[in-house]
Every structure is written in C-alpha cells, then in structure tokens.
Amino acid sequence: MTLSNVDTEGLRSTSRKQEFGVAPTEHILDEFPLTSAYDVAIIGAGPNGLMAAAYLVKAGLKTIVLERRQEIGGGLATEETLFPGYYTNPHAFYHMMTDYMPIMSDFALNSHGLFFVKPNTQTAGIFSDNSSLILYNQIEDTKDSIAKFSASDARTFGKLMRKWRKIVSEVIAPGTYVPPISPIDMIETFEKTEIGREVLRLSEMSPAEIIDENFESDRVKALLLYVACMWGLDPNESGLGFMVPLMVDRAMNKAQCYGGSHKLAGALSREILSEGGTILDNAEVTEILVDSGRVTGIQLFDGRQIEARAVLSSLAPPLTFGRLIEQEDVPPEMIESASLWEWDKWSFATMSLVSQEPPVYECDDPSVNDALMVVMGFDSLDQVLDHFSAVIAGKLPESIGGHATVETRYDPTLPRIQGHQVSFFQVHAPYEVQGGWDEQGPVLVDNLITLWKRHCSGLVDSNIVMNSLETPIDIETRLSSMVRGSIKHGDYHPLQMGIFRPHDSCVGGRSPIEGLYLCGASSYPGGLVIGGPGYIAAGSVAEDLGAGKWWKEPEYVRRYVSTYMQTIG
Amino acid sequence: MSDERFDVVVIGGGHNGSTIAAYLAKSGLSTCVLESRPECGGGQENTEVRPGFRIDPHATYLYGGAAPGFDQLELWKYGMRMVYYASMAGVATLDGQAANLGGRWRPDLGDEAIKRHSPADLQGPGRIFDQLGEDASRQLLRALFWTPPHPQGLEVNPEDMPWWQVFRKYLPNLYFKELIDMSYVDFLDNFVQWDPLKVVGAFGAWYCGAHPDWEGMLLQSLGGTLLYSYASGAPRGGMHTYAHAIIRCAIANGARVMTNAPVGEIIVSNGRAVGVKLSQDAAFPEKTIWADKAVISGVDVKQTFLGLVGKSHIDPSFAQRVDDISLKGGSLFVMSVICRELPRYHNDDRYFPQEVYPSCVIAPADSFEYFRVQTRDAYSYKKSPELTPEHLTMMICTHDPYDSTRCPDGYHVLSPIYLEVPPPQYDVTGPLGINRHKEEITKAALGVLKQLAPNMTDGNIVDVFVNTPYDSEFRNAGMVGGNWYGIRQSEDQWFSNRPLPELSRYRTPIDGLYLCNQTSHPGGLCLMAVPYNLMHVLIDDGVVTPKSWWYPSPFYVSDPKPGTSNIKTPTDIGGTSISSVDSQALAASEEIR
Ligand SMILES: Cc1cc2nc3c(=O)[nH]c(=O)nc-3n(C[C@H](O)[C@H](O)[C@H](O)COP(=O)(O)OP(=O)(O)OC[C@H]3O[C@@H](n4cnc5c(N)ncnc54)[C@H](O)[C@@H]3O)c2cc1C
Ligand SMILES: Cc1cc2nc3c(=O)[nH]c(=O)nc-3n(C[C@H](O)[C@H](O)[C@H](O)COP(=O)(O)OP(=O)(O)OC[C@H]3O[C@@H](n4cnc5c(N)ncnc54)[C@H](O)[C@@H]3O)c2cc1C
C-alpha cells in the first residue's frame, strides 16, 4: 500500500538551469526538487532514525531520511581519524543489545555483509598489582575469576547473575521495545511476580548500595560498580537501581561490529533504499513546519521543503521544540520540557592509538588480552566513587582510570597497513575542563599513555605510530545531536527516565503536536545503540497512518506485555 | 553460509564498479556488488580527520559533468547535488604575478586576467575551448571519453577518430592536420605566449591523466581540462556524496551490495567465468557467489588477471603482457592544510577576492621550462626529490569558499594540495622511499606556499595532514601506484590500446568476464564513462537488454558478426553521420524526459 499523495517522479529541479542559462539537457544541474511530498520525513540518520525508516518504508510508507552530516549513521561512525590509513569508531563501539534488538530478526542484515563478533572474554579489570578479574559471557567462567579474590563473592555472583539475567530477559530487555507505563501502574503490575518485586526493590537503591550489599572483595566491587555506572548512572543516586542488573549483564554481552560500527548503518540504509526509501545527506533540517497544531513537513537549510504526514525527530527536546519549531506553535508543556532538559552529566574523552604491535597486558591471566574491554585504574569501590563524583562535579579525575579496547583484536579491517593495530582508551570526562581542552587534552593523553604503559610494557614510544584524542567538544562538533557531548542526548536520572523520557506527554514517541514523533536517544527507553526509541516510534507511526504494521513483537516482548503491562484499571 | 546466485557479480564497489551495478540493476538484472572495504566508493572518499573538518585524500573535483549517467541514472533522486564555483582556477608566480582564470560560470574573470597579462593569448588556437559552446563541448567530451574503443582490426584514419570528427565539425577554421600528431606541449609552445598560462594548461592536463608531453594526445590532454571546466564545481559535501548517489541508485534498483567482501578468486569453468569466491578474511569467508550472465571486474587489470583469475587460466605470454602494463605517469603527493585565513597571494587581497576565490591555484608557475623539468623527474627513476621552489609547482585546492559543509566558520581547508611525484613502484630506493621524504617534502612545499602567500605562517596553519602515493595505495586496494588514472594514459595505453589491445573492448580471454575499472578506456577520474562504454558491449553480447532510458554513443561500432566482415568503414562514421546519429541520441534523451 502506498499512501503517497504527491509524486516526485520526474520533478527534477530546473531552477539552476535558468540561473545559469543552460539547456534543459544539461543533467549535471539536476537537483532534488524544491518541494516534494512524502508520507514520512525523519530528521537524523543515527541508529534510531535509520531503524524507524527501515520499518516504515517496508510498511509501504513513502519515507525520506534527512541527515545533516556527509555520512549517515550518527553514533554509528567508522572514520579515518588516524590519518592516513587507520579507521576507528569514534562513537559507539560496544554493541550491547544485538541479542535482543528486533531489527536483527526482522531484516536480513547479514545479507549485506554485516556481522557481530561476541567473544566469551568480555570485560577485564586490571589492578595496580597486575592481578586481574574477568567477566566472561559465561557465568561459571566468571565465577572462576572472581574466586581468585573471594570464594564467597564467586558464589554470590553466580546466584545473583542467574536472578539478574531473568530480570533482564523478562522485564528490562523486552521493556526496551514497548512504550513505558506510569510508575503507579508499574507498581501495580510488578508486585504480581517475584522478579517484578525485585525490580521495584532495586529501583529504590543506588548502584553503589546494590554492589556493596552483595559483595565483599573491594576489587570485585570496583569492577562491578564501574561497569554498572559507566554508561551514565550516578553511583550514589537511587531510583534507577533496576538498571544495575542490565548494565552488569550487558558488560558480559557486548559485541563488536566487524568492519566497524558504521556497517550497521550501511546495512540498514540498504534495507531502506531497496524498499524504495530515500536518504539525503548534507541535508540539515532547519525547521519543522507546523500549521494549526499539526505538522505539515520540514524545511532544509537551503529552503527546500518536504511535505510529510508524519515527521520523526531523533533530536532532544531543546533542539526539536526549542530550535526547529516556531515557538508559538509549541505547546507549553514542551516549551517547559525543552528548557528544563538536562544534558548528560558526563561525556567521554577517547584517545585512539595505532601501534605496530598490540598492547599486550602483563598480568596474572593472559586471557585478559582476549577481552573486548579492559578497565584500568580502580582498585576499590571508593576509587570508583571518587572517579564518578569528580566527573559529575565537572572535573577530570585526578587519578586516571577508564576502559581500553584493542579494536583490531577481532576486526583486522581497520588498519590499511596489515599487522598494525588500532586501539582506544576511553575515560569519562566533563564537557568543559578547567584550562580548556586545548591545554588539558595533551596532558590527558600523556596520563593515559603512562597508565597504559604501566600494564603493557611493550607499548613503548617506538611501537606507537600515532594517536588522536576526541574530546566531548569534538563529539558535539561531529554530531550536533549530542549537545555538550551527551552521548545519550540527555541525562539518565529518575525524572528523565521511563515515562518521563523525554516527557510524559510523549508516550510511544507521539508528541503533543499532531504528526510529530520523537524517535531518538532522548526518548524512552534512552540512549546507546539499543534500537528502542526508533522501534517504538515506528510502531506508533504505522498505526496512526493506517499502514500495515508488517512486523510482530518478538515472543519475549509479548510475554512481557501480557505479564507486566495489563493493569486492572 | 550457502551459495548465492545473481545474473551479474561486480567485483569492487569503487566508482566504476558501483556505476556499472547501477546501470545493470536499472536495466533489470539481478546484480551483486562485492566490496572489500567496509564502505563503497573507492577513490571517492572524504574524511573528517579533525572534527568538523573534511578533507579530500583522493578525488576532489567533478570531471564527469558531460556524462550520460547523470541523465540515465537520475542521480539527483539519490542526493547528488553540485556546488558551482565562480572560479575554478588561478595562477601565481614567485615573481609576484597572480591571475584569476574563472571558470564556466564566470568566463569574464579569465578574459579580464588574460587581457591584462597577455593580450596576445586572448585570441587564437590557445583558447580553443572558449570557442566551443555548451553543446559542442559536450559532444567533444563524449567523443573522447564516452565512446567505446573501436573493435580491433577496424582501420580508421586518425582524423576520423570520433574526437577529431567533432573538432572538425565545430571548429573547422582551427583544424589542421598537424594537430593530430602534436603533444600538448608542442601546442602550448606554438600557440600560447604567457608562461604561467602554459604551466596551468600543462598541469591541468597532467592532472587529468594525459600527460602534456605525450605524443599524439593533444585532444585528450586538452579534453581533460575541458572536463574540469565543464562542470566547474564539486558535489556538495565532497566526492563521497557522489559515490553515495551512485551506490544508492544501484540499491534502489535492486542491486545487492555486500561490504567486507573481498573477492579472492574468479571461478573459471571451461574457459568461462561463472562466479567468484570470497577470500578468507571476508564477512563470509570463502563463500561462493555464482554469476549466471557475467562477472565484471571493477578492480585493476593486474589484480584481475594475476591475482583473481590466476595463472592457471591464462597463458604465460598474456600474463607477461599484463605484468608489463606501465604505471608510469606520475603520482600524487597529497597535503591537506587547515588554516584560519586563505592564502593571500603576494599579500594582496585584490588578486583573489573572497567572492571569486579560485578553488584551485596552480603555483609557482613562473617558468614552463622548470615545470617540464619537474614532470620529467616525476617520470624517471629518482633517488630523492628536488625540493627547490621552482620544482614544486602545486595545485592548491580549496572548496569551502563555495561549500560550507567543509569546515566551521572562521576556518579554511586547503585540501587537496597536489604535488607530482613518481609512483612508488618506480622509486629506486623501493616503494617506501617516498614516505621517508614525507616530512621534508611537506616542509619544503609549505615553505613555497609561504613564499607565495606570506600569511601562511605557522600561526595561521592549524593542522597538516599528508598522504603519499604509497599511503594511497594502501588505503585503497585498487589504486596501483597510488595514482589516479590506473595505468599510464599514453597513446600506447589509450582507446583501442587500453589496457592492452585485446582487452580494449572490456572483454577478456575468459568468456563472461568483463573489465570495468579505470585501467580500461577512458581511464581515471570519476566520469561514469568506463561503465557507460561497457554497457554497449554487454548489450551486444546479449547480457543486458537496454530499456527506454538508454542511449548509446553515436560513434559506437559493433563487432563484426563471425564469418562476415561487416565492420563499418571509417566513412560510415565520419562526416555526415555523426550529426544525424548524435541528434537521434539527443532526441531519445529528450523523449524520456
Ligand atoms: C564517544 C562515544 C562513545 C559511545 N559508545 C557507545 C557504545 O560503545 N555503545 C553504544 O551502544 N552506544 C555508544 N554511544 C552512544 C550512541 O552512539 C548514541 O546513544 C546513539 O548513537 C544515539 O542514536 P540516535 O539515533 O538517537 O542519535 P544520533 O546517533 O545522535 O543520530 C542523530 C543524527 O541526527 C543528525 N542531525 C542532527 N541535527 C540534525 C538536523 N538538524 N537535521 C538533520 N539531521 C540532524 C546527526 O548528524 C546524527 O547523525 C557512544 C557515543 C559516543 C559519543
Ligand atoms: C590523489 C588522487 C586524486 C584524484 N582526483 C580526482 C578528481 O579530482 N576527480 C576525479 O573524478 N577523480 C580523481 N581521482 C581519480 C579517481 O579517484 C579514480 O579514477 C577512481 O576512483 C577510479 O575508480 P575505479 O572504480 O576504477 O577504482 P577504485 O576507486 O580504486 O575502486 C576499486 C574498488 O575495488 C575494491 N577492491 C579492490 N580489490 C578488491 C577485491 N579483491 N575484492 C573486492 N573489492 C576489491 C577497492 O576497495 C575499491 O573500492 C583521483 C585519484 C587520486 C589517487
């Protein structure tokens, strides 16, 4: 079914030809028409915009995706930042929901050459005395490693992880792909099951309390708290404790995209194009057009207008409602949401590095070198707490700690010179640092290399070919969606999560402006490449436009809906 | 992973591979593109090396403006969009001269400059192209580049070669027989007086692939410059956007594109190419992909035969001939400079005011003789580069005065700055030789830039990125010699001789295997020309049936049917017929609109 009302076929723009006075046969001057009409226009070709587009185009809706950058993908970027000859993934690298994301089964993405590598050796912690702790994908392997530090922690971890994995698979992972319900309804339905009650209990606790309550070894606590909070939880804040099981479980379930994260964007774009969708890059949207409370389309930087019955924005409220729409057309609750929106409480600074030989960790367990992520710099819970308090306070922590990955360990395609290695070391960092990044950047690089060398003596200067640093300002420069380097388009705190993300008048991605939908990381359930916001918004749009919703929620989602989303009232 | 089957398998998703896939998919064939890298585009790359700043490590300008592909593939639908530049070229000398030569959209700039510096050069054959209109330019370019090479054995008087036919038709007063055997240098020496103008002409031609010193290549050399001025601009956002449009056209028409899919072997059975096998490090290691109708190689001729087909399917004498194909022709040392101010030549804004800043400045252009020495050096085996200012004529390009996507306000990107150097294969100290001189060359080049434009101080320059031809070859598996034309574009390796006479019609000794890379005619640059030309042969071979949007080259000569000798005689394609066939083609293109 095609719902298109105006067809752009044969409508190439002739204005340029008139301007230059050339013959109509001069096809190099053909351009996208000044006005065109679509069913759906999507602002931003990040993972969420692309996923929404892939579903909608296949539902028969005439769909166009507009991207400001020269390259699609948003956070799914693979770029030659180490020039010349070495690619790296400056943004998303760890793919944490490949086992759940519905796109993985709804589309034949691997037919485009896309695949993920998910090693068993997942996350390692190396401590100052070169001892190590490894979180494997397999629980028993992980227990073996924990037992080096505490036999009782190993047992606890085994039991706890069994429970936490149930929480993830029964509640949190499926909840990622359906619109949220209100806290009051949640309390009602979650009380019904044991798992549900545990979720409610954890919600009241802070991550630090949860970790501290269960474990005794300081090193075990340090690593677990780091992985629980590294994507944006305040260790001392209660209200989001239910995310601790998810984060720890995902620290044992990360995958790497072979060929670089951008390949996921490439594969999605091919699904969109082959079903008749359109993607324009170098096409910044500067206005969302609203007429009498209803969206009518969008306008591009150059004045081109695209009519659309539905507009999906992957941008956060301050951009969507604060900048792209005439303020008189924005309902008061969204003006408020735009002005109260809190960007991420910290961002990342990432040093990428090319070396002739890989960094080889010297520690008690050589299999650390197989780990997708190696955490360094934290021996105790307190050090982790100090680390996050410092970044939240807007400072670079005095004692450096963070996580590193040898990207070429499982993906040899990134360096053009065979045998050379590409790695990165990433730390949490505030948007602004005292003295400015120009001054502090090189100091940070020195500190990171010093720490890295302490654990890998082979990482001597003669082994290092080059390095580069991406600061939070750089993140914002590449991706204007990530204001202040907000990798999730907005902070994770209780008032910006669940039904409040971005606002409780936008459930299911439907905004109070008719025809305008929100589909980005600032919408429920949140940021990272998890596929939730795009998937949920696509469902709402297909329903509202009366298009055939050709996809079915996965079985695990349906089970969640019938158990946890049926309220009596 | 199970085998898959398509009508056509294309090896390599570079410019030429993607374009033939778009043509074939649009013609209704099931088509699969296998690209070894994570992203298609080949030499059409842009890189945001520094956040917010985009550089062009290889291709930078759109030369393909006259391509039928813009019409036939309707790239505008897939986001293709040009930015038109007021000035495409400027020239500056160490002794204090500078001139803005304008471009197609502002020819007045060039006229004015030449009037000032060398009034004698305003008239005469030296300004041949300014005497051609839009239509004649297009026809001449199509004759040179968008015409499949004649079949072997067809004897054509040199003056009846398609390009000379068009030339004679439109510029009868300027035509004389001696032109045919001239090199561009001979021509410049005869008809152009102002040395800087000669350097610009020669450098421009050289950069388009046909070196100005090569015999019998006058019109090809001139044609390169005409290609440059014809579109007078670049795709908004850079050349990679053009690659996006082409590959998206292919996919929208049903082509399957697999990335991280290096081909390791072309499967030959009973003398026929029937499919390919991916290599060990592919996304699907060793997967076999069958091709029912054709295997098209979008990678260079040497890799195709010596690497992918393998010596067991070709005879040793052929293998030797492939191995001997010359890569010489110079290669590019590429610098990209991020700065706060654009070069202010001779410290005077009046030479190049902001609104008409030349996108490309060729400098220093003091002496034609020095330039010839510089190019000679790039063609012979060399130990170390000569780094005196006279030997460092550069093409200094910038796009941001016209295209705001290239960098943030308050900054400029000079990218690329091209300097000619020998291909790494011909460095006596080994292929890595050039990389050992990287810093030295960069320093010398920036020194010359500062001599020309004193504001190019360390304080003005924010960052410098360099890729040598050696780096380019590594970055892009298809770019042998790190060069931009594949193999030398001299008469011995052009038209019916490219890459070898028996391969010039894109067919190969292996049935069902066709060539579609810049190592075939007409060579380098992203012109959509190799695929357009190849289409004629595929149609003749029954691989593809053309749809209504297709129109052929008016100069195309079909192969003789076996046993007969129905090769058209030269007179058939000469004189009168060109205009009639051409107008038919034009009419056909009008009709589909
Ligand atoms: C350094 C870093 C590391 C990260 N690591 C991980 C990781 O390991 N794992 C993980 O899962 N996630 C990671 N993330 C987070 C992840 O990349 C993001 O949360 C995710 O990309 C958000 O997806 P999105 O589609 O909502 O938005 P985005 O990816 O931000 O995409 C939005 C798109 O909209 C475009 N845009 C902006 N304004 C306009 C406009 N006006 N008109 C048109 N287009 C516009 C942008 O250019 C962008 O392409 C990381 C992020 C960063 C920065
Ligand atoms: C420095 C420089 C400047 C240039 N400037 C310009 C310019 O301004 N304008 C212009 O139009 N052109 C320019 N060019 C030329 C242009 O880039 C090339 O002519 C063009 O890219 C050639 O296209 P191609 O498809 O023949 O080859 P390529 O672009 O090299 O594509 C070949 C593709 O095949 C892939 N491949 C290789 N081996 C395999 C395998 N075994 N299996 C699968 N895939 C494989 C490669 O990864 C690559 O993508 C320039 C080139 C250089 C080097």
Side-chain angles (χ1 to χ4, degrees):
Chain A
M1 175 184 55
T2 296
L3 294 161
S4 48
N5 33 24
V6 185
D7 202 352
T8 50
E9 290 292 313
L11 253 185
R12 43 188 133 191
S13 174
T14 53
S15 58
R16 280 288 183 172
K17 298 185 184 180
Q18 283 148 14
E19 183 185 332
F20 286 115
V22 299
T25 47
E26 186 67 303
H27 293 291
I28 181 67
L29 282 82
D30 288 341
E31 279 183 1
F32 211 75
L34 291 174
T35 56
S36 53
Y38 285 79
D39 295 321
V40 178
I42 299 181
I43 306 172
N48 282 308
L50 290 171
M51 287 182 205
Y55 280 101
L56 294 174
V57 86
K58 217 172 150 183
L61 294 167
K62 194 173 167 198
T63 302
I64 186 166
V65 185
L66 293 318
E67 170 55 46
R68 172 184 163 272
R69 285 191 82 212
Q70 82 284 9
E71 194 49 270
I72 57 164
L76 296 170
T78 306
E79 311 232 339
E80 199 179 0
T81 51
L82 299 156
F83 189 86
Y86 305 92
Y87 289 72
T88 175
N89 296 288
H91 308 131
F93 174 80
Y94 309 104
H95 293 262
M96 290 175 281
M97 293 294 271
T98 52
D99 44 353
Y100 287 110
M101 285 196 295
I103 54 151
M104 302 299 289
S105 48
D106 288 338
F107 299 92
L109 296 179
N110 70 353
S111 69
H112 311 289
L114 176 80
F115 71 94
F116 291 92
V117 182
K118 184 169 163 184
N120 183 36
T121 315
Q122 285 270 325
T123 306
I126 300 189
F127 307 106
S128 55
D129 59 358
N130 280 348
S131 61
S132 69
L133 170 60
I134 301 179
L135 307 178
Y136 295 88
N137 178 256
Q138 296 191 16
I139 293 179
E140 297 305 329
D141 286 354
T142 310
K143 278 166 66 184
D144 293 346
S145 187
I146 294 179
K148 286 193 297 187
F149 298 91
S150 153
S152 116
D153 280 357
R155 272 193 310 277
T156 311
F157 185 84
K159 306 234 175 301
L160 196 62
M161 249 354 257
R162 272 181 78 77
K163 187 160 60 175
W164 283 6
R165 284 199 164 161
K166 275 207 194 104
I167 292 182
V168 173
S169 66
E170 270 185 36
V171 179
I172 304 185
T176 304
Y177 305 106
V178 281
I181 53 176
S182 75
I184 295 173
D185 291 341
M186 251 176 89
I187 290 169
E188 182 192 321
T189 62
F190 278 51
E191 282 293 352
K192 288 187 297 195
T193 70
E194 200 191 321
I195 289 289
R197 286 191 293 276
E198 181 63 10
V199 171
L200 294 176
R201 187 183 82 86
L202 289 174
S203 298
E204 298 306 310
M205 298 171 73
S206 74
E209 282 165 355
I210 297 172
I211 300 296
D212 208 25
E213 163 188 275
N214 285 292
F215 300 96
E216 58 172 38
S217 154
D218 219 12
R219 299 195 168 180
V220 174
K221 289 182 192 177
L223 182 63
L224 291 178
L225 187 64
Y226 185 82
V227 300
C229 295
M230 63 173 290
W231 298 110
L233 296 185
D234 179 339
N236 291 315
E237 190 175 63
S238 57
L240 297 176
F242 67 93
M243 291 188 70
V244 172
L246 175 74
M247 292 306 179
V248 175
D249 177 50
R250 294 296 100 186
M252 299 161 72
N253 274 287
K254 300 182 296 288
Q256 168 172 6
C257 189
Y258 190 88
S261 293
H262 183 64
K263 284 210 65 187
L264 175 55
L268 284 166
S269 78
R270 287 170 219 157
E271 289 291 333
I272 295 166
L273 295 161
S274 62
E275 294 288 335
T278 303
I279 301 174
L280 296 185
D281 22 39
N282 297 296
E284 181 174 1
V285 175
T286 49
E287 198 178 339
I288 298 173
L289 305 170
V290 177
D291 187 18
S292 349
R294 200 191 184 298
V295 154
T296 58
I298 49 125
Q299 178 159 316
L300 297 186
F301 71 100
D302 58 358
R304 278 190 163 63
Q305 289 197 348
I306 294 170
E307 272 177 46
R309 299 166 61 203
V311 169
L312 280 66
S313 170
S314 38
L315 308 177
L319 302 175
T320 303
F321 298 100
R323 229 182 266 167
L324 294 182
I325 309 178
E326 285 275 358
Q327 289 305 285
E328 62 203 44
D329 291 324
V330 181
E333 69 268 31
M334 293 324 292
I335 290 193
E336 197 193 8
S337 160
S339 67
L340 294 179
W341 189 251
E342 282 180 28
W343 298 107
D344 290 13
K345 55 182 160 288
W346 65 65
S347 179
F348 279 148
T350 312
M351 176 187 66
S352 296
L353 178 133
V354 179
S355 56
Q356 286 165 21
E357 302 290 331
V360 177
Y361 295 97
E362 285 127 23
C363 60
D364 58 349
D365 184 349
S367 70
V368 162
N369 290 301
D370 298 330
L372 209 48
M373 176 193 283
V374 176
V375 179
M376 282 168 274
F378 306 104
D379 280 0
S380 69
L381 185 79
D382 284 343
Q383 280 179 357
V384 177
L385 289 172
D386 288 347
H387 166 86
F388 286 116
S389 318
V391 226
I392 292 172
K395 289 184 292 216
L396 267 176
E398 256 161 52
S399 153
I400 285 288
H403 51 276
T405 285
V406 181
E407 293 182 79
T408 31
R409 170 66 185 81
Y410 295 103
D411 182 1
T413 67
L414 296 168
R416 292 281 112 207
I417 298 200
Q418 266 189 354
H420 281 190
Q421 307 288 327
V422 178
S423 315
F424 66 79
F425 199 137
Q426 194 163 60
V427 294
H428 301 99
Y431 176 66
E432 281 146 349
V433 290
Q434 202 163 20
W437 278 108
D438 284 348
E439 190 188 302
Q440 289 304 311
V443 179
L444 177 63
V445 167
D446 279 350
N447 291 339
L448 288 176
I449 292 184
T450 307
L451 173 59
W452 217 347
K453 274 184 184 162
R454 202 180 304 148
H455 296 290
C456 310
S457 62
L459 206 58
V460 291
D461 290 348
S462 61
N463 184 17
I464 298 175
V465 180
M466 62 172 106
N467 69 58
S468 76
L469 180 72
E470 290 269 321
T471 69
I473 293 175
D474 294 336
I475 293 173
E476 178 185 61
T477 307
R478 283 189 206 270
L479 296 173
S480 56
S481 47
M482 296 187 182
V483 175
R484 296 181 66 83
S486 300
I487 75 163
K488 307 180 303 301
H489 296 192
D491 199 21
Y492 280 4
H493 67 72
L495 291 179
Q496 282 190 182
M497 291 301 272
I499 198 158
F500 305 112
R501 192 168 184 90
H503 192 270
D504 57 6
S505 66
C506 299
V507 181
R510 294 181 176 94
S511 86
I513 300 179
E514 203 190 331
L516 176 64
Y517 298 80
L518 302 175
C519 70
S522 60
S523 286
Y524 175 86
L528 309 184
V529 184
I530 59 178
Y535 182 81
I536 292 172
S540 302
V541 173
E543 223 168 80
D544 295 355
L545 296 194
K549 192 174 159 195
W550 56 270
W551 65 98
K552 278 208 169 56
E553 271 80 28
E555 189 48 42
Y556 71 89
V557 172
R558 268 178 277 159
R559 241 180 344 228
Y560 164 76
V561 170
S562 62
T563 315
Y564 293 99
M565 293 192 65
Q566 315 297 331
T567 55
I568 312 157
Chain B
M1 182 43 70
S2 61
D3 296 356
E4 287 192 78
R5 196 169 272 287
F6 294 86
D7 289 337
V8 179
V9 168
V10 179
I11 307 168
H15 172 73
N16 289 311
S18 312
T19 307
I20 193 65
Y23 266 111
L24 295 176
K26 202 173 170 187
S27 306
L29 295 191
S30 78
T31 308
C32 177
V33 179
L34 301 168
E35 165 57 44
S36 71
R37 301 176 63 180
E39 173 91 0
C40 290
Q44 293 177 287
E45 256 192 298
N46 300 97
T47 308
E48 194 174 332
V49 271
R50 189 187 158 107
F53 296 86
R54 212 171 306 160
I55 66 167
D56 300 12
H58 303 309
T60 191
Y61 291 113
L62 191 120
Y63 283 80
F70 284 104
D71 181 14
Q72 297 178 337
L73 300 177
E74 300 178 293
L75 297 184
W76 62 272
K77 281 189 182 172
Y78 311 101
M80 175 66 198
R81 168 159 196 207
M82 287 289 291
V83 182
Y84 306 95
Y85 299 178
S87 174
M88 285 300 279
V91 62
T93 63
L94 288 167
D95 69 5
Q97 306 181 71
N100 192 342
L101 301 174
R104 177 173 177 188
W105 317 112
R106 286 295 303 275
D108 55 304
L109 295 170
D111 288 346
E112 202 181 296
I114 294 171
K115 203 183 290 167
R116 192 153 7 100
H117 291 278
S118 178
D121 283 329
L122 263 184
Q123 243 83 79
R127 301 205 73 206
I128 280 179
F129 285 145
D130 306 292
Q131 310 187 26
L132 287 169
E134 174 189 312
D135 189 46
S137 301
R138 180 166 48 198
Q139 288 196 42
L140 180 59
L141 290 177
R142 288 193 177 179
L144 278 161
F145 299 98
W146 289 273
T147 297
H150 291 334
Q152 295 298 305
L154 177 72
E155 289 195 8
V156 183
N157 284 330
E159 62 194 60
D160 286 331
M161 291 306 256
W163 41 95
W164 287 119
Q165 288 189 40
V166 178
F167 190 99
R168 289 202 326 260
K169 177 175 160 189
Y170 287 101
L171 299 169
N173 302 335
L174 289 178
Y175 177 77
F176 48 99
K177 242 182 150 156
E178 288 70 19
L179 289 178
I180 291 175
D181 292 320
M182 273 190 182
S183 73
Y184 190 27
V185 164
D186 299 334
F187 176 86
L188 291 168
D189 275 339
N190 275 304
F191 301 115
V192 177
Q193 301 198 349
W194 194 38
D195 255 25
L197 208 54
K198 287 166 131 176
V199 175
V200 170
F203 204 115
W206 178 82
Y207 179 66
C208 302
H211 182 260
D213 238 335
W214 292 337
E215 309 300 334
M217 293 291 278
L218 168 61
L219 222 45
Q220 290 76 358
S221 296
L222 269 165
T225 350
L226 183 57
L227 284 174
Y228 180 77
S229 60
Y230 189 87
S232 278
R236 178 175 159 86
M239 287 293 272
H240 190 60
T241 319
Y242 176 28
H244 273 171
I246 294 170
I247 202 76
R248 284 176 189 166
C249 172
I251 296 167
N253 283 291
R256 174 93 74 76
V257 175
M258 261 188 234
T259 45
N260 281 111
V263 170
E265 183 190 335
I266 295 174
I267 304 169
V268 179
S269 164
N270 296 324
R272 193 180 162 79
V274 293
V276 300
K277 200 174 204 176
L278 299 186
S279 63
Q280 195 63 56
D281 53 349
F284 309 105
E286 307 209 338
K287 182 185 166 102
T288 301
I289 298 167
W290 301 105
D292 286 341
K293 296 194 164 154
V295 172
I296 296 180
S297 174
V299 305
D300 71 277
V301 61
K302 295 197 182 197
Q303 189 193 163
T304 303
F305 290 108
L306 307 180
L308 301 180
V309 169
K311 294 199 172 164
S312 52
H313 297 288
I314 52 177
D315 65 65
S317 78
F318 178 72
Q320 183 62 44
R321 284 161 58 64
V322 171
D323 204 29
D324 282 345
I325 292 173
S326 170
L327 300 180
K328 277 185 157 189
S331 190
L332 293 170
F333 185 93
V334 186
M335 288 164 285
S336 298
V337 172
I338 292 172
C339 49
R340 291 179 220 275
E341 286 178 10
L342 284 172
R344 198 181 309 121
Y345 290 87
H346 310 311
N347 229 355
D348 192 340
D349 277 332
R350 279 170 306 179
Y351 288 114
F352 302 144
Q354 184 76 30
E355 333 72 74
V356 292
Y357 198 89
S359 173
C360 163
V361 175
I362 291 178
D366 295 66
S367 143
F368 196 37
E369 216 32 60
Y370 272 128
F371 175 71
R372 293 183 67 180
V373 172
Q374 178 182 347
T375 20
R376 184 201 61 205
D377 285 357
Y379 284 74
S380 41
Y381 286 75
K382 282 204 60 179
K383 273 203 282 302
S384 62
E386 198 132 10
L387 298 177
T388 54
E390 296 79 14
H391 290 96
L392 286 170
T393 306
M394 298 175 270
M395 237 175 111
I396 305 152
C397 309
T398 179
H399 295 271
D400 58 74
Y402 303 103
D403 179 357
S404 62
T405 67
R406 305 289 183 127
C407 65
D409 282 350
Y411 290 93
H412 298 280
V413 180
L414 302 179
S415 177
I417 299 177
Y418 292 127
L419 187 68
E420 50 178 358
V421 291
Q425 281 81 348
Y426 295 97
D427 192 311
V428 280
T429 62
L432 249 172
I434 186 80
N435 277 33
R436 283 192 285 269
H437 297 295
K438 202 165 168 170
E439 273 174 33
E440 193 192 342
I441 299 176
T442 308
K443 204 166 150 250
L446 293 181
V448 174
L449 186 58
K450 193 170 157 196
Q451 240 176 296
L452 293 158
N455 68 330
M456 296 311 287
T457 56
D458 290 349
N460 182 15
I461 294 176
V462 178
D463 229 330
V464 180
F465 299 91
V466 181
N467 53 302
T468 68
Y470 179 81
D471 298 330
S472 304
E473 192 166 341
F474 267 112
R475 299 171 80 258
N476 185 321
M479 288 201 171
V480 280
N483 63 35
W484 68 102
Y485 44 80
I487 57 171
R488 192 175 184 130
Q489 305 208 152
S490 55
E491 202 176 24
D492 286 335
Q493 293 187 168
W494 214 70
F495 203 59
S496 303
N497 294 328
R498 189 174 181 85
L500 292 172
E502 64 268 42
L503 299 174
S504 67
R505 297 273 280 187
Y506 312 99
R507 298 188 185 97
T508 67
I510 316 280
D511 278 350
L513 174 65
Y514 297 87
L515 301 179
C516 187
N517 177 268
Q518 58 177 346
T519 51
S520 285
H521 179 76
L525 304 179
C526 306
L527 305 178
M528 300 192 279
V530 181
Y532 173 75
N533 295 345
L534 167 60
M535 274 294 282
H536 295 73
V537 175
L538 294 174
I539 291 168
D540 266 8
D541 287 0
V543 173
V544 58
T545 315
K547 296 219 170 158
S548 61
W549 48 264
W550 167 258
Y551 51 88
S553 159
F555 302 103
Y556 178 60
V557 181
S558 290
D559 290 274
K561 295 270 173 322
T564 63
S565 80
N566 68 346
I567 288 191
K568 288 189 201 169
T569 60
T571 42
D572 286 334
I573 54 164
T576 54
S577 61
I578 63 151
S579 49
S580 60
V581 182
D582 200 36
S583 57
Q584 264 170 27
L586 274 176
S589 72
E590 281 306 320
E591 217 166 83
I592 63 157
R593 210 151 301 120

